[in-house]
Amino acid sequence: EFLDSFINIFLKYLNSDNEINVQKATVAFIYVIAHYPRYLSSNQEILELTLHKYFDYLRSDNEAIQGVAIKAF
């Protein structure tokens, strides 16, 4: 239930016009969701989204975002 609520909040941030808020929300999402491997393995769509975002942020120019992606991976 916690993760479902968290994902719903995350999806609201994705609709934001502010790119920085979207990046921050996505990095936070990746960090939190990485701690729940059973949830990821039972939700393939979320797993694919998370992996896609990992690799996007690993190639990011922003070192802070890269650092969080590396730690979460």
Side-chain angles (χ1 to χ4, degrees):
E1 189 172 308
F2 164 74
L3 286 178
D4 292 331
S5 298
F6 181 75
I7 290 170
N8 287 330
I9 292 168
F10 166 71
L11 292 175
K12 288 179 186 177
Y13 273 99
L14 284 181
N15 294 325
S16 173
D17 292 335
N18 188 339
E19 183 64 29
I20 293 172
N21 283 344
V22 171
Q23 283 184 341
K24 287 179 182 179
T26 304
V27 169
F29 172 77
I30 289 171
Y31 185 78
V32 170
I33 204 75
H35 295 292
Y36 296 93
R38 274 192 263 162
Y39 183 82
L40 285 173
S41 65
S42 65
N43 294 287
Q44 286 298 120
E45 186 176 332
I46 301 297
L47 176 62
E48 290 174 15
L49 172 70
T50 304
L51 288 174
H52 179 72
K53 290 298 180 183
Y54 273 134
F55 294 117
D56 282 350
Y57 289 132
L58 287 174
R59 293 185 295 249
S60 173
D61 293 333
N62 187 328
E63 290 181 22
I65 290 175
Q66 272 185 336
V68 171
I70 289 168
K71 287 178 186 177
F73 193 72

